[in-house]
Amino acid sequence: MNINQEQLTVFKTVMETGSFSAAARKLGKVPSAISMSIANLEIDLNLQLFQRIGREPVPTEQAQTLYERTEQLLIEMNQWKQHALALSSGLESELNIVIVSELLHTRWTDYVVLVEQQFPELQINVFGAPQEDAQQMLLDGSAQLALMFEREQLDAREQFVELKREVLIPVAAKQHVLSQYDQVSFEQILNSRQIVVASRDRNIKPELLYSRHYWRTDNHHSACSMIQQGLGWGVLPQEMLKKQPNLQQNLQVLNLLDFTPKFEYFIDLVWSRESNLGTAAHFLINHLRNQRKSSK
């Protein structure tokens, strides 16, 4: 069986117009070419698609059944061709994006929607990970793009474009001992257990660590749950609290007395200079760069 896209287009057009001559006019062909195409299709399928007993061909029951799936098949064939063309012009086979755990509450899906609209056939995989793990995923090639906090020390292999600011705030459960003070000293912070979002690799020291005693988790949702249970204090995204009023009822923002840690960060879209980025990754990077230019 050797069915091609042109045969299916002819068959669909005959079904919709009701005659070989009308299909020929619509497709810009002569009626004999339409008749020959349908005859060849019937041979390939070993089915009679039309009864030719009157002036106009009458679709058989088999033709009606096949017609119901023809349009979707033609759409899929066209999408397949477009995707193959995109791949030949440099589109990656898949795009892996890693989002730092504390940023999963942000509108990162806007960037995915943007890429999907431009490249609807591209497979996009999104992962959540602590900052240190996200950086490692970029450098080992398991992710092409990362949404990350700014880094105090840049790796020479990294390149990035700034997106926006994000504010993190120190919080504790309202029943926690630290919440009972109007101002919390550095010594109190130092000696109170901290719930910290950190790499799954225990050898990597957490970046936002202030206490001597701490528990680790790899995402801010579990960190938030532990903080609400009074198991320790921690640092959470301010936007997260704004979007979830119940958190504001259960958590106390800590007023730190002796020091002001850097809790306001830029959010960057980061990639590795050593990666051979495809068309979709470059599209998103260039879009964000143009956005920054137009906003200045």
Side-chain angles (χ1 to χ4, degrees):
M1 186 181 296
N2 185 25
I3 312 298
N4 59 50
Q5 188 173 6
E6 184 177 1
Q7 284 179 309
L8 292 176
T9 301
V10 168
F11 168 66
K12 176 176 178 289
T13 307
V14 171
M15 291 290 293
E16 292 173 349
T17 59
S19 73
F20 291 167
S21 56
R25 287 193 297 272
K26 186 171 183 178
L27 296 174
K29 299 179 180 290
V30 296
S32 59
I34 300 297
S35 179
M36 180 65 71
S37 178
I38 293 296
N40 288 335
L41 181 59
E42 290 176 322
I43 293 171
D44 288 335
L45 295 174
N46 193 27
L47 287 174
Q48 184 175 4
L49 299 175
F50 296 94
Q51 297 282 353
R52 299 166 176 82
I53 53 178
R55 294 189 59 186
E56 304 297 349
V58 178
T60 62
E61 185 178 341
Q62 292 89 339
Q64 293 287 3
T65 300
L66 290 173
Y67 172 68
E68 292 174 2
R69 300 189 61 180
T70 301
E71 183 170 8
Q72 184 58 38
L73 181 57
L74 284 169
I75 290 172
E76 290 175 0
M77 291 175 73
N78 188 51
Q79 289 175 339
W80 186 90
K81 283 185 175 182
Q82 291 177 350
H83 192 51
L85 180 63
L87 289 172
S88 69
S89 63
L91 181 68
E92 51 268 66
S93 57
E94 62 179 20
L95 179 62
N96 295 326
I97 305 173
V98 58
I99 315 291
V100 167
S101 301
E102 292 93 336
L103 299 177
L104 288 170
H105 69 283
T106 64
R107 293 176 58 91
W108 57 267
T109 51
D110 291 350
Y111 307 122
V112 176
V113 168
L114 191 66
V115 175
E116 190 277 337
Q117 289 175 341
Q118 190 72 19
F119 308 99
E121 295 304 305
L122 175 66
Q123 179 173 332
I124 301 176
N125 305 310
V126 179
F127 307 95
Q131 175 97 348
E132 302 87 351
D133 293 353
Q135 186 175 35
Q136 185 57 43
M137 289 177 71
L138 276 185
L139 299 180
D140 68 21
S142 55
Q144 289 75 53
L145 299 173
L147 207 63
M148 301 172 60
F149 289 113
E150 60 180 296
R151 281 76 58 221
E152 291 186 5
Q153 291 185 333
L154 283 177
D155 190 295
R157 293 167 290 178
E158 291 179 20
Q159 194 166 342
F160 66 94
V161 57
E162 287 180 352
L163 302 179
K164 59 178 182 177
R165 290 179 185 269
E166 176 75 22
V167 176
L168 302 176
I169 53 177
V171 294
K174 291 200 171 176
Q175 71 270 22
H176 192 277
V177 62
L178 292 181
S179 297
Q180 313 313 311
Y181 297 95
D182 292 333
Q183 293 182 313
V184 179
S185 69
F186 176 71
E187 185 178 3
Q188 289 174 306
I189 284 289
L190 194 66
N191 293 316
S192 297
R193 181 192 299 133
Q194 182 179 352
I195 307 298
V196 62
V197 179
S199 170
R200 300 176 182 95
D201 185 346
R202 294 290 299 276
N203 295 317
I204 299 177
K205 185 178 179 181
E207 188 170 337
L208 297 177
L209 179 62
Y210 298 93
S211 298
R212 288 196 184 104
H213 314 290
Y214 62 95
W215 287 358
R216 306 170 68 116
T217 178
D218 65 357
N219 66 85
H220 71 289
H221 290 295
S222 55
C224 182
S225 296
M226 287 191 282
I227 293 169
Q228 287 188 85
Q229 288 297 322
L231 296 172
W233 74 280
V235 177
L236 293 177
Q238 186 179 55
E239 193 64 27
M240 181 180 175
L241 272 69
K242 288 181 179 178
K243 290 181 178 179
Q244 301 182 47
N246 63 302
L247 292 183
Q248 298 179 36
Q249 297 173 6
N250 298 331
L251 297 177
Q252 176 72 37
V253 177
L254 301 178
N255 182 16
L256 304 183
L257 172 63
D258 298 329
F259 76 118
T260 305
K262 186 182 180 185
F263 283 160
E264 185 172 285
Y265 291 82
F266 278 105
I267 308 305
D268 300 333
L269 182 73
V270 189
W271 62 97
S272 171
R273 298 176 189 271
E274 297 178 349
S275 295
N276 185 21
L277 298 181
T279 303
H282 281 297
F283 163 78
L284 182 58
I285 291 167
N286 291 332
H287 174 84
L288 295 173
R289 280 174 168 166
N290 291 333
Q291 264 194 339
R292 280 185 57 80
K293 288 179 184 176
S294 61
S295 64
K296 289 183 178 180

